[in-house]
Amino acid sequence: MSSRRFAVDKGTDTVGEIVAEYEGSVFLRPPGGGMEWSAPPDQVRPCTEAELRSARVLSTPVVTFPWA
C-alpha cells in the first residue's frame, strides 16, 4: 500500500497529492506530476477512489511514437 496521500481542493475541485503542509497551507501536486499549488486546510478534503482514478487517467501523458 502506498503512503501517498491524495485530496481534493474544494476551491477548484481538483485532485492532488499532498506534498507538504506548512504555516496554514496545504501544498498539492497533480497525480501525474506538474506545478504545485496551495490551498487553505479547510478547503481540502480526502478524495474518493473514483476521483483519484479519474484524475490519474486525465493527468497521464499520452506518448506516441512516429514509427508506430
Side-chain angles (χ1 to χ4, degrees), residues 32-61:
M35 278 300 256
E36 291 179 7
W37 76 96
S38 64
D42 63 341
Q43 288 295 307
V44 175
R45 66 168 176 80
C47 70
T48 65
E49 285 296 319
E51 288 170 325
L52 180 55
R53 279 192 307 271
S54 178
R56 282 184 168 154
V57 166
L58 295 174
S59 66
T60 301

Side-chain angles (χ1 to χ4, degrees), residues 2-9 14-22 25-32 35-47 52 56:
S2 174
S3 63
R4 297 167 61 182
R5 296 184 308 154
F6 294 91
V8 174
D9 176 349
T14 305
V15 174
E17 177 185 1
I18 297 173
V19 294
E21 296 177 46
Y22 182 71
S25 291
V26 177
F27 294 86
L28 302 112
R29 178 180 297 139
M35 278 300 256
E36 291 179 7
W37 76 96
S38 64
D42 63 341
Q43 288 295 307
V44 175
R45 66 168 176 80
C47 70
L52 180 55
R56 282 184 168 154

